[in-house]
Amino acid sequence: MRITDAIVSGRGEKASRNPLRRFGWFVAIWAMSTIGFIAAASVLKFFVPHYGVSSVKQDDD
């Protein structure tokens, strides 16, 4: 967990006490996770074939 150790040091003594800055971090992390989810869904949709209603042939009786 070298990445976590590089980002997080100590027990949070150096963490900002400013609520606006903390909220900013929350929004940034939320936005990045949302972008990642949408990107993953887009890639998955690209690889999964989708058939439209017009491409399905139906027998007319």
Side-chain angles (χ1 to χ4, degrees):
M1 302 204 49
R2 291 182 181 178
I3 296 173
T4 305
D5 293 339
I7 295 172
V8 178
S9 61
R11 295 185 169 208
E13 296 89 12
K14 297 178 184 178
S16 175
R17 301 290 178 218
N18 185 352
L20 189 58
R21 181 169 286 176
R22 287 179 177 229
F23 183 72
W25 274 106
F26 171 77
V27 169
I29 293 169
W30 174 80
M32 292 301 290
S33 65
T34 302
I35 290 169
F37 179 79
I38 291 171
S42 298
V43 169
L44 184 63
K45 185 177 180 182
F46 177 74
F47 286 112
V48 174
H50 291 86
Y51 302 104
V53 175
S54 61
S55 66
V56 177
K57 293 187 177 185
Q58 296 179 352
D59 293 333
D60 292 333
D61 289 334

